[in-house]
Amino acid sequence: MKTPSYLLVAGFIVIAGNSALTYAVENQHAKEAEQHLEKAVESGKAGDTKGEAAHAQEAEKDLIQENKEKPYPQPSKQITGENPKAEHDKAAFEDIEKAKAHAKKGHAKQAADAAKKAESHIKDKELSK
């Protein structure tokens, strides 16, 4: 009788451990994206538009990887406020695109501002439901 309860406890520990590991990996991509955007902002302040574009591109790749590992449901009809993670994610991608476009044009300040906004959206996404 004790053996099944031990197996039940062991199974619970395995499931909880896998869930925590999955959450840590997902969070890792968001953190890496934030770090790349911080570097993009720093590059923009220094006037390095090539570095800015490269860091924005890396941040975009990290967000794409995060979304592949843990996709969130997309409702058939978009209602503002219904899925805050999706809204912040979409806004972050838009701001990353703006940052890359401004960096390619040589507009360091505008690119840095867009990267900063994208970083803010990523942080807000992590705090959303």
Side-chain angles (χ1 to χ4, degrees):
M1 198 70 182
K2 289 184 178 184
T3 304
S5 62
Y6 287 128
L7 291 175
L8 183 63
V9 170
F12 177 74
I13 290 171
V14 167
I15 291 170
N18 284 341
S19 297
L21 181 61
T22 301
Y23 178 75
V25 168
E26 291 164 6
N27 231 4
Q28 178 185 356
H29 289 296
K31 294 291 182 194
E32 288 175 1
E34 284 179 35
Q35 290 172 352
H36 284 296
L37 289 170
E38 286 174 9
K39 289 178 184 177
V41 171
E42 291 170 9
S43 295
K45 288 179 181 176
D48 177 17
T49 56
K50 287 184 182 181
E52 215 169 4
H55 288 301
Q57 182 69 34
E58 288 300 316
E60 185 177 42
K61 287 179 185 177
D62 287 328
L63 287 179
I64 290 169
Q65 187 63 33
E66 178 187 12
N67 289 342
K68 282 182 181 177
E69 291 175 3
K70 186 181 180 203
Y72 43 82
Q74 292 288 339
S76 57
K77 182 178 179 184
Q78 293 289 336
I79 300 172
T80 303
E82 184 178 326
N83 193 345
K85 280 191 183 280
E87 291 174 18
H88 287 300
D89 197 42
K90 181 180 176 185
F93 277 110
E94 288 172 358
D95 286 330
I96 288 172
E97 287 300 319
K98 288 178 186 177
K100 291 189 317 186
H102 283 300
K104 287 178 183 175
K105 292 177 185 175
H107 304 150
K109 184 180 180 336
Q110 291 91 340
D113 290 343
K116 190 72 174 163
K117 285 181 185 177
E119 182 183 358
S120 174
H121 285 297
I122 293 169
K123 287 178 182 176
D124 290 343
K125 177 184 170 184
E126 290 177 28
L127 298 175
S128 297
K129 296 178 186 178

